[in-house]
Amino acid sequence: TEFITRFLWRLTVLFGIGFIHHLHYRGDILTIFSVIGIFLLLFNQFSDRFLLIFALFFAFNIPSLIFNVGKEISEPPRTQQREGRPPESDDYMKNELEYYEIAKNGTYTQILTANANSLFSKYEFQISSGRVFMTLGMFLLGLFVGRKKYFENLLENLPFFKKIFKYSGFSLLFLYVLAIILLIIFHFSQNLPPPALFPIFSFFFDVSCLITAFTYVSGFVILFQKPKFETFFMNFYWVGRMGLTTYVTQSFVAFFIFFGVGLGLLDEIGAAFCALMGILLFVLQIIFAKFWFKYFRYGLLEWLWRSLTYFSVQPLKK
């Protein structure tokens, strides 16, 4: 009972921080992660073999594949029309234009209300697209890797990471080449793919996302073994220790810069300038994090999270 109570309280704390963040930035992911985290307690009771099976089952988004294939089989055949747009596309554009007006010219209360109303649709999208399953699968893979201590015994497992990088890299290249070939075929044929193929195309996209993650992780592990890259990557160590604070801070800075209640620069500056501002902000955060951890144990939000979790003010200063 005590364990369940503490867990539900921790869930409430993380979801609460995420919801406050969502009210200002509706692309927030904490409200998703906090709910998915519940299932880690369940799967943590399984053996390594079953844990890996379930991890890959969800990471490859097999539930969505089964649902989409079943939907195509159960529904009557239909043709794909190039002309015109589906009604839901017009509804989507209407909703986006309404939100744009609120972000650009709305009051602070209107922005919070609009973002709060989008929470349900965000969960709906996570389920319909299968992203929630893929995220759970990645969480479970992280749990499996943690059990096996692949990162703790890095030098011993370096050949394994090299194999992952090799095979995932070639697989990713194959999928990209296949996608380009299919695009060329359907472009010159002046026809869209048959709707029956959409579940397969969607599955290939999900696979490419997972393989991309494997390529990134294994690639960084390999590069980290080289002194020059290790020195460079260590610049991200301190800002990584306050990842929650960094993530939320970026949103609130951007909220002030782009929304009408702040500087109102939404749609006033180009994408290239926005990218430069993002890079500059992250560099400043890296510098700040190095300075911060000279005097403090945790990032500010990390400290708040721990204090709320344990019902007592945790030591912040070193």
Side-chain angles (χ1 to χ4, degrees):
T1 303
E2 181 182 356
F3 172 78
I4 295 175
T5 302
R6 286 184 174 274
F7 172 77
L8 291 177
W9 171 248
R10 292 173 181 178
L11 171 65
T12 303
V13 169
L14 181 57
F15 183 85
I17 294 175
F19 184 69
I20 294 173
H21 184 229
H22 172 86
L23 291 177
H24 298 82
Y25 169 55
R26 60 179 183 171
D28 162 77
I29 198 62
L30 297 176
T31 48
I32 305 296
F33 283 178
S34 58
V35 175
I36 295 176
I38 296 175
F39 295 94
L40 291 181
L41 290 177
L42 171 64
F43 287 102
N44 193 38
Q45 309 304 316
F46 295 163
S47 65
D48 291 345
R49 176 179 295 182
F50 281 104
L51 180 62
L52 182 60
I53 291 174
F54 279 111
L56 295 176
F57 176 79
F58 288 113
F60 280 106
N61 202 7
I62 302 300
S64 291
L65 176 64
I66 295 173
F67 175 81
N68 291 331
V69 171
K71 184 179 179 182
E72 290 297 330
I73 294 175
S74 61
E75 290 183 350
R78 62 190 188 277
T79 57
Q80 181 73 22
Q81 299 294 331
R82 180 177 289 275
E83 296 81 8
R85 295 185 302 178
E88 57 268 22
S89 177
D90 293 330
D91 293 339
Y92 174 80
M93 290 302 299
K94 179 183 177 182
N95 293 334
E96 290 303 300
L97 287 173
E98 290 177 354
Y99 183 73
Y100 170 82
E101 288 299 324
I102 293 174
K104 186 72 175 176
N105 305 307
T107 64
Y108 181 64
T109 303
Q110 288 176 323
I111 294 172
L112 298 188
T113 302
N115 286 336
N117 292 335
S118 69
L119 183 63
F120 177 77
S121 61
K122 179 165 71 173
Y123 284 125
E124 188 178 39
F125 169 75
Q126 288 283 327
I127 296 173
S128 62
S129 66
R131 286 192 180 188
V132 66
F133 303 121
M134 297 183 69
T135 304
L136 174 59
M138 296 298 285
F139 278 22
L140 295 177
L141 282 175
L143 182 59
F144 176 80
V145 168
R147 280 186 182 181
K148 294 297 184 180
K149 300 184 178 181
Y150 282 116
F151 293 107
E152 293 182 38
N153 306 318
L154 198 53
L155 293 179
E156 177 184 336
N157 293 300
L158 194 57
F160 168 77
F161 283 106
K162 289 182 178 179
K163 287 182 179 179
I164 292 291
F165 182 76
K166 176 182 177 181
Y167 292 127
S168 62
F170 279 121
S171 301
L172 205 57
L173 179 62
F174 169 77
L175 289 175
Y176 284 154
V177 172
L178 178 62
I180 293 172
I181 293 174
L182 291 174
L183 284 172
I184 294 174
I185 292 174
F186 289 116
H187 173 75
F188 285 105
S189 66
Q190 296 296 311
N191 291 314
L192 292 176
L197 292 179
F198 283 176
I200 306 301
F201 290 161
S202 178
F203 176 69
F204 279 145
F205 174 75
D206 295 336
V207 170
S208 70
C209 291
L210 184 61
I211 293 176
T212 300
F214 288 163
T215 307
Y216 281 159
V217 172
S218 57
F220 277 119
V221 167
I222 294 170
L223 288 176
F224 199 81
Q225 308 311 307
K226 303 181 184 298
K228 290 183 179 180
F229 284 101
E230 179 185 2
T231 302
F232 174 73
F233 288 146
M234 284 305 294
N235 288 312
F236 301 101
Y237 169 73
W238 300 106
V239 75
R241 285 187 57 189
M242 54 192 306
L244 180 61
T245 301
T246 301
Y247 171 62
V248 173
T249 301
Q250 289 176 358
S251 297
F252 281 98
V253 170
F255 180 87
F256 172 75
I257 292 175
F258 294 110
F259 281 61
V261 293
L263 299 179
L265 294 182
L266 180 65
D267 207 27
E268 302 292 336
I269 54 179
F273 190 71
C274 289
L276 289 176
M277 286 199 307
I279 294 172
L280 176 61
L281 173 60
F282 190 53
V283 170
L284 292 175
Q285 287 182 308
I286 291 175
I287 296 173
F288 174 78
K290 288 183 177 180
F291 170 79
W292 177 270
F293 280 108
K294 287 182 179 179
Y295 306 100
F296 301 101
R297 297 173 181 269
Y298 315 107
L300 191 58
L301 285 183
E302 286 77 7
W303 168 79
L304 176 63
W305 186 10
R306 292 176 70 92
S307 297
L308 290 173
T309 295
Y310 294 106
F311 298 101
S312 64
V313 178
Q314 300 294 299
L316 180 61
K317 290 185 178 181
K318 285 188 175 180

